[in-house]
Amino acid sequence: MPRQPAWTATLTFKAAVFIAVMCCALAALLGVLVHVSVAGQTVRDSRDKALTRLDEVGRLYESGEPLPRFAGVDPAGLPASLRALAAGGERGTMVAEFEGRPTMWAAGPADGRALAVRIDYTQSAATIDRLDRSILGSSVLAIGATLLVGAFAVTRVTRRLHATATVARRISAGDLDARVNDPRTKDPSRPLDEVATVSGALDTMASSLQRKLQSEQRFTADVAHELRTPLTGLSAAAELLPEGRPSELVRDRVRTMRALTEDLLEISRLDAGTERVDLAVHDLGPLAERVVRAAASTSGTVTEVRVVRDATVETDKRRLERVLGNLVANAHRHGAAPVVLSVDGPVVTVRDHGAGFPDYLLAAGPQRFRTESGGKGHGLGLTIAVGQAEVIGAELVFANAPEDDEGGGAVARLTLPEYVHLAEPGDPGDPADPADPADPASA
């Protein structure tokens, strides 16, 4: 079954169809009523006139006087049904064609035969025909005018609905400052229609959501800031402890808490949207190799690097290293060896061979303080990776490799905007440079 066009599902189309159907039905009903009323009155007037003439002709027939030319006994052209009715002793009328023209017949009994008169019905038939054409034309004009007015009214409503939907999408995308600001909600003296009610409810919801999120962001930032000072003192005190297993455990926990505090601060800055990028041009392959070497020196993990095709990207080096470092660390912490980082043009892929990402992460993205892999972690590493990727204009996608593809595993794919170098006149290799030695024409 072919799929219907998308515009057939719009409120404007449905309203136009409804208005058109109702107008057609109303016009047809009124047209039928007017036609029946006028045609009935016209037929009655012609019938009365024909019967009056039949009475006059009947008196002439009874007195033996000659009949006028529009009357006669069993005249030619008299409908058979009307002739039979008159022969049976009853009077009647009928409209029929006579010599190519509509005619009103009236007939009555006359010595076992039919005495009949005829009246030209052309003018009455023409009147009814003109009436029908007038009804049809006025109905078409009325339907067109109603459709235009209805479409204008419905379009105003749908335009406001589209504006409300656009604001809702902006809010869902993270723009918490977006508001509909319907003027009807600002003036208490104006009555609210349904669209204004929905718009006002959306603005109220957005304001409440913004206040709650800002309160949570301030709380996270304040807690992280307040923790930095005691953690700094605790770290310094831990360094003064005598060497041994207890002191190693204390230093390890202090380092973990400091890392968690720094992650919370970074997330609060990302939530607040205060991050500013420092763009520069970098070769992606060597940068990825440096990230892997740094991770190996810090945690002792081994990551294979595959540069299929190197590319030049314009990005923030520190933030990109943060994203790749978090992806590699997550692959080692929650996945299984071997972990492979591959560079194919502006696309960097980090893959492990573990159980893969959980379903909730594939459906809704990483969630802070949630992990289901059974390992250590707070769910902040991937959250920071997603936030920093958005800041540098990259796209980070999470997926699971098929089981038949080297045993499956988690796959994180980062796509960066590739830097395109525009050659200037005089640059080596520029086709426009006449002194280019690679150009055969310049030899």
Side-chain angles (χ1 to χ4, degrees), residues 233-256:
L234 185 60
S235 177
E239 296 297 330
L240 300 177
L241 295 175
E243 295 296 331
R245 181 60 178 169
S247 60
E248 292 179 2
L249 292 176
V250 171
R251 295 190 188 102
D252 178 68
R253 292 299 90 193
V254 170
R255 284 193 296 268
T256 301

PDB file of all heavy atoms in Angstrom, residues 233-256:
ATOM      1  N   GLY A 233      44.736  19.539  51.362  1.00  0.00           N
ATOM      2  CA  GLY A 233      45.391  19.310  52.650  1.00  0.00           C
ATOM      3  C   GLY A 233      45.536  17.835  52.962  1.00  0.00           C
ATOM      4  O   GLY A 233      46.572  17.393  53.514  1.00  0.00           O
ATOM      5  N   LEU A 234      44.511  17.051  52.634  1.00  0.00           N
ATOM      6  CA  LEU A 234      44.571  15.614  52.894  1.00  0.00           C
ATOM      7  C   LEU A 234      45.651  14.959  52.055  1.00  0.00           C
ATOM      8  O   LEU A 234      46.360  14.056  52.524  1.00  0.00           O
ATOM      9  CB  LEU A 234      43.212  14.987  52.591  1.00  0.00           C
ATOM     10  CG  LEU A 234      43.055  13.507  52.930  1.00  0.00           C
ATOM     11  CD1 LEU A 234      43.270  13.262  54.416  1.00  0.00           C
ATOM     12  CD2 LEU A 234      41.669  13.014  52.514  1.00  0.00           C
ATOM     13  N   SER A 235      45.813  15.432  50.805  1.00  0.00           N
ATOM     14  CA  SER A 235      46.862  14.871  49.958  1.00  0.00           C
ATOM     15  C   SER A 235      48.240  15.188  50.515  1.00  0.00           C
ATOM     16  O   SER A 235      49.137  14.328  50.530  1.00  0.00           O
ATOM     17  CB  SER A 235      46.716  15.429  48.540  1.00  0.00           C
ATOM     18  OG  SER A 235      47.750  14.961  47.714  1.00  0.00           O
ATOM     19  N   ALA A 236      48.409  16.428  50.973  1.00  0.00           N
ATOM     20  CA  ALA A 236      49.708  16.783  51.559  1.00  0.00           C
ATOM     21  C   ALA A 236      49.980  15.987  52.822  1.00  0.00           C
ATOM     22  O   ALA A 236      51.112  15.539  53.072  1.00  0.00           O
ATOM     23  CB  ALA A 236      49.736  18.286  51.854  1.00  0.00           C
ATOM     24  N   ALA A 237      48.945  15.786  53.646  1.00  0.00           N
ATOM     25  CA  ALA A 237      49.126  14.995  54.866  1.00  0.00           C
ATOM     26  C   ALA A 237      49.435  13.544  54.548  1.00  0.00           C
ATOM     27  O   ALA A 237      50.228  12.894  55.245  1.00  0.00           O
ATOM     28  CB  ALA A 237      47.877  15.100  55.732  1.00  0.00           C
ATOM     29  N   ALA A 238      48.810  13.014  53.466  1.00  0.00           N
ATOM     30  CA  ALA A 238      49.055  11.617  53.110  1.00  0.00           C
ATOM     31  C   ALA A 238      50.490  11.398  52.678  1.00  0.00           C
ATOM     32  O   ALA A 238      51.057  10.318  52.902  1.00  0.00           O
ATOM     33  CB  ALA A 238      48.092  11.195  51.991  1.00  0.00           C
ATOM     34  N   GLU A 239      51.112  12.423  52.089  1.00  0.00           N
ATOM     35  CA  GLU A 239      52.501  12.282  51.667  1.00  0.00           C
ATOM     36  C   GLU A 239      53.455  12.213  52.863  1.00  0.00           C
ATOM     37  O   GLU A 239      54.588  11.749  52.725  1.00  0.00           O
ATOM     38  CB  GLU A 239      52.892  13.454  50.764  1.00  0.00           C
ATOM     39  CG  GLU A 239      52.128  13.508  49.448  1.00  0.00           C
ATOM     40  CD  GLU A 239      52.404  12.292  48.592  1.00  0.00           C
ATOM     41  OE1 GLU A 239      53.513  11.733  48.686  1.00  0.00           O
ATOM     42  OE2 GLU A 239      51.503  11.895  47.820  1.00  0.00           O
ATOM     43  N   LEU A 240      52.999  12.691  54.019  1.00  0.00           N
ATOM     44  CA  LEU A 240      53.851  12.668  55.209  1.00  0.00           C
ATOM     45  C   LEU A 240      53.758  11.359  55.975  1.00  0.00           C
ATOM     46  O   LEU A 240      54.522  11.142  56.936  1.00  0.00           O
ATOM     47  CB  LEU A 240      53.472  13.827  56.141  1.00  0.00           C
ATOM     48  CG  LEU A 240      53.608  15.242  55.535  1.00  0.00           C
ATOM     49  CD1 LEU A 240      53.135  16.284  56.547  1.00  0.00           C
ATOM     50  CD2 LEU A 240      55.053  15.508  55.125  1.00  0.00           C
ATOM     51  N   LEU A 241      52.818  10.479  55.568  1.00  0.00           N
ATOM     52  CA  LEU A 241      52.684   9.206  56.265  1.00  0.00           C
ATOM     53  C   LEU A 241      53.869   8.307  55.968  1.00  0.00           C
ATOM     54  O   LEU A 241      54.444   8.366  54.880  1.00  0.00           O
ATOM     55  CB  LEU A 241      51.382   8.517  55.847  1.00  0.00           C
ATOM     56  CG  LEU A 241      50.082   9.207  56.235  1.00  0.00           C
ATOM     57  CD1 LEU A 241      48.891   8.457  55.645  1.00  0.00           C
ATOM     58  CD2 LEU A 241      49.955   9.273  57.757  1.00  0.00           C
ATOM     59  N   PRO A 242      54.265   7.487  56.927  1.00  0.00           N
ATOM     60  CA  PRO A 242      55.378   6.560  56.671  1.00  0.00           C
ATOM     61  C   PRO A 242      54.982   5.548  55.605  1.00  0.00           C
ATOM     62  O   PRO A 242      53.819   5.219  55.436  1.00  0.00           O
ATOM     63  CB  PRO A 242      55.602   5.885  58.035  1.00  0.00           C
ATOM     64  CG  PRO A 242      54.307   6.046  58.753  1.00  0.00           C
ATOM     65  CD  PRO A 242      53.734   7.353  58.298  1.00  0.00           C
ATOM     66  N   GLU A 243      56.005   5.116  54.868  1.00  0.00           N
ATOM     67  CA  GLU A 243      55.752   4.176  53.801  1.00  0.00           C
ATOM     68  C   GLU A 243      55.170   2.875  54.359  1.00  0.00           C
ATOM     69  O   GLU A 243      55.552   2.407  55.424  1.00  0.00           O
ATOM     70  CB  GLU A 243      57.039   3.880  53.027  1.00  0.00           C
ATOM     71  CG  GLU A 243      57.606   5.080  52.296  1.00  0.00           C
ATOM     72  CD  GLU A 243      56.653   5.557  51.217  1.00  0.00           C
ATOM     73  OE1 GLU A 243      55.901   4.726  50.670  1.00  0.00           O
ATOM     74  OE2 GLU A 243      56.654   6.769  50.918  1.00  0.00           O
ATOM     75  N   GLY A 244      54.248   2.321  53.600  1.00  0.00           N
ATOM     76  CA  GLY A 244      53.596   1.079  54.013  1.00  0.00           C
ATOM     77  C   GLY A 244      52.273   0.917  53.286  1.00  0.00           C
ATOM     78  O   GLY A 244      51.807   1.800  52.542  1.00  0.00           O
ATOM     79  N   ARG A 245      51.672  -0.251  53.505  1.00  0.00           N
ATOM     80  CA  ARG A 245      50.408  -0.546  52.818  1.00  0.00           C
ATOM     81  C   ARG A 245      49.289   0.421  53.208  1.00  0.00           C
ATOM     82  O   ARG A 245      48.557   0.894  52.345  1.00  0.00           O
ATOM     83  CB  ARG A 245      49.994  -1.985  53.132  1.00  0.00           C
ATOM     84  CG  ARG A 245      48.715  -2.424  52.473  1.00  0.00           C
ATOM     85  CD  ARG A 245      48.808  -2.341  50.969  1.00  0.00           C
ATOM     86  NE  ARG A 245      47.586  -2.800  50.329  1.00  0.00           N
ATOM     87  CZ  ARG A 245      47.321  -2.631  49.052  1.00  0.00           C
ATOM     88  NH1 ARG A 245      48.204  -2.034  48.244  1.00  0.00           N
ATOM     89  NH2 ARG A 245      46.186  -3.073  48.536  1.00  0.00           N
ATOM     90  N   PRO A 246      49.143   0.768  54.506  1.00  0.00           N
ATOM     91  CA  PRO A 246      48.060   1.713  54.854  1.00  0.00           C
ATOM     92  C   PRO A 246      48.220   3.074  54.174  1.00  0.00           C
ATOM     93  O   PRO A 246      47.257   3.648  53.690  1.00  0.00           O
ATOM     94  CB  PRO A 246      48.166   1.822  56.379  1.00  0.00           C
ATOM     95  CG  PRO A 246      48.808   0.542  56.790  1.00  0.00           C
ATOM     96  CD  PRO A 246      49.785   0.213  55.701  1.00  0.00           C
ATOM     97  N   SER A 247      49.469   3.590  54.138  1.00  0.00           N
ATOM     98  CA  SER A 247      49.677   4.891  53.513  1.00  0.00           C
ATOM     99  C   SER A 247      49.410   4.824  52.005  1.00  0.00           C
ATOM    100  O   SER A 247      48.894   5.784  51.401  1.00  0.00           O
ATOM    101  CB  SER A 247      51.095   5.394  53.776  1.00  0.00           C
ATOM    102  OG  SER A 247      52.053   4.465  53.240  1.00  0.00           O
ATOM    103  N   GLU A 248      49.738   3.703  51.361  1.00  0.00           N
ATOM    104  CA  GLU A 248      49.448   3.556  49.931  1.00  0.00           C
ATOM    105  C   GLU A 248      47.940   3.568  49.676  1.00  0.00           C
ATOM    106  O   GLU A 248      47.466   4.179  48.708  1.00  0.00           O
ATOM    107  CB  GLU A 248      50.063   2.261  49.407  1.00  0.00           C
ATOM    108  CG  GLU A 248      51.587   2.266  49.374  1.00  0.00           C
ATOM    109  CD  GLU A 248      52.139   0.949  48.858  1.00  0.00           C
ATOM    110  OE1 GLU A 248      51.308   0.072  48.501  1.00  0.00           O
ATOM    111  OE2 GLU A 248      53.373   0.796  48.793  1.00  0.00           O
ATOM    112  N   LEU A 249      47.185   2.898  50.536  1.00  0.00           N
ATOM    113  CA  LEU A 249      45.732   2.897  50.382  1.00  0.00           C
ATOM    114  C   LEU A 249      45.163   4.301  50.553  1.00  0.00           C
ATOM    115  O   LEU A 249      44.260   4.722  49.816  1.00  0.00           O
ATOM    116  CB  LEU A 249      45.097   1.933  51.395  1.00  0.00           C
ATOM    117  CG  LEU A 249      45.368   0.441  51.172  1.00  0.00           C
ATOM    118  CD1 LEU A 249      44.765  -0.380  52.309  1.00  0.00           C
ATOM    119  CD2 LEU A 249      44.775  -0.011  49.843  1.00  0.00           C
ATOM    120  N   VAL A 250      45.695   5.051  51.546  1.00  0.00           N
ATOM    121  CA  VAL A 250      45.204   6.411  51.769  1.00  0.00           C
ATOM    122  C   VAL A 250      45.515   7.289  50.568  1.00  0.00           C
ATOM    123  O   VAL A 250      44.660   8.057  50.084  1.00  0.00           O
ATOM    124  CB  VAL A 250      45.828   6.991  53.057  1.00  0.00           C
ATOM    125  CG1 VAL A 250      45.494   8.482  53.175  1.00  0.00           C
ATOM    126  CG2 VAL A 250      45.325   6.245  54.281  1.00  0.00           C
ATOM    127  N   ARG A 251      46.777   7.207  50.065  1.00  0.00           N
ATOM    128  CA  ARG A 251      47.135   8.028  48.901  1.00  0.00           C
ATOM    129  C   ARG A 251      46.291   7.660  47.684  1.00  0.00           C
ATOM    130  O   ARG A 251      45.873   8.552  46.918  1.00  0.00           O
ATOM    131  CB  ARG A 251      48.622   7.847  48.585  1.00  0.00           C
ATOM    132  CG  ARG A 251      49.554   8.357  49.660  1.00  0.00           C
ATOM    133  CD  ARG A 251      50.993   8.367  49.167  1.00  0.00           C
ATOM    134  NE  ARG A 251      51.924   8.667  50.255  1.00  0.00           N
ATOM    135  CZ  ARG A 251      52.660   7.753  50.891  1.00  0.00           C
ATOM    136  NH1 ARG A 251      52.580   6.475  50.531  1.00  0.00           N
ATOM    137  NH2 ARG A 251      53.471   8.113  51.855  1.00  0.00           N
ATOM    138  N   ASP A 252      46.029   6.375  47.500  1.00  0.00           N
ATOM    139  CA  ASP A 252      45.218   5.950  46.350  1.00  0.00           C
ATOM    140  C   ASP A 252      43.797   6.502  46.451  1.00  0.00           C
ATOM    141  O   ASP A 252      43.237   6.995  45.460  1.00  0.00           O
ATOM    142  CB  ASP A 252      45.186   4.426  46.277  1.00  0.00           C
ATOM    143  CG  ASP A 252      44.325   3.932  45.129  1.00  0.00           C
ATOM    144  OD1 ASP A 252      44.711   4.127  43.955  1.00  0.00           O
ATOM    145  OD2 ASP A 252      43.248   3.358  45.387  1.00  0.00           O
ATOM    146  N   ARG A 253      43.209   6.439  47.639  1.00  0.00           N
ATOM    147  CA  ARG A 253      41.849   6.961  47.797  1.00  0.00           C
ATOM    148  C   ARG A 253      41.814   8.477  47.633  1.00  0.00           C
ATOM    149  O   ARG A 253      40.856   9.038  47.083  1.00  0.00           O
ATOM    150  CB  ARG A 253      41.307   6.578  49.182  1.00  0.00           C
ATOM    151  CG  ARG A 253      41.058   5.096  49.391  1.00  0.00           C
ATOM    152  CD  ARG A 253      40.031   4.558  48.403  1.00  0.00           C
ATOM    153  NE  ARG A 253      40.653   4.072  47.167  1.00  0.00           N
ATOM    154  CZ  ARG A 253      39.980   3.788  46.067  1.00  0.00           C
ATOM    155  NH1 ARG A 253      38.670   3.956  46.024  1.00  0.00           N
ATOM    156  NH2 ARG A 253      40.609   3.356  44.995  1.00  0.00           N
ATOM    157  N   VAL A 254      42.876   9.148  48.109  1.00  0.00           N
ATOM    158  CA  VAL A 254      42.923  10.608  47.949  1.00  0.00           C
ATOM    159  C   VAL A 254      43.023  10.970  46.468  1.00  0.00           C
ATOM    160  O   VAL A 254      42.356  11.905  45.997  1.00  0.00           O
ATOM    161  CB  VAL A 254      44.102  11.192  48.748  1.00  0.00           C
ATOM    162  CG1 VAL A 254      44.322  12.671  48.395  1.00  0.00           C
ATOM    163  CG2 VAL A 254      43.855  11.056  50.241  1.00  0.00           C
ATOM    164  N   ARG A 255      43.861  10.241  45.734  1.00  0.00           N
ATOM    165  CA  ARG A 255      43.961  10.502  44.295  1.00  0.00           C
ATOM    166  C   ARG A 255      42.623  10.256  43.602  1.00  0.00           C
ATOM    167  O   ARG A 255      42.220  11.012  42.709  1.00  0.00           O
ATOM    168  CB  ARG A 255      45.056   9.625  43.679  1.00  0.00           C
ATOM    169  CG  ARG A 255      46.458  10.093  43.960  1.00  0.00           C
ATOM    170  CD  ARG A 255      47.454   9.370  43.069  1.00  0.00           C
ATOM    171  NE  ARG A 255      47.484   7.950  43.345  1.00  0.00           N
ATOM    172  CZ  ARG A 255      48.308   7.367  44.214  1.00  0.00           C
ATOM    173  NH1 ARG A 255      49.165   8.114  44.895  1.00  0.00           N
ATOM    174  NH2 ARG A 255      48.278   6.051  44.395  1.00  0.00           N
ATOM    175  N   THR A 256      41.929   9.207  44.003  1.00  0.00           N
ATOM    176  CA  THR A 256      40.622   8.921  43.408  1.00  0.00           C
ATOM    177  C   THR A 256      39.625  10.042  43.695  1.00  0.00           C
ATOM    178  O   THR A 256      38.885  10.482  42.809  1.00  0.00           O
ATOM    179  CB  THR A 256      40.081   7.591  43.942  1.00  0.00           C
ATOM    180  OG1 THR A 256      41.008   6.545  43.621  1.00  0.00           O
ATOM    181  CG2 THR A 256      38.732   7.271  43.319  1.00  0.00           C
TER     182      THR A 256
END
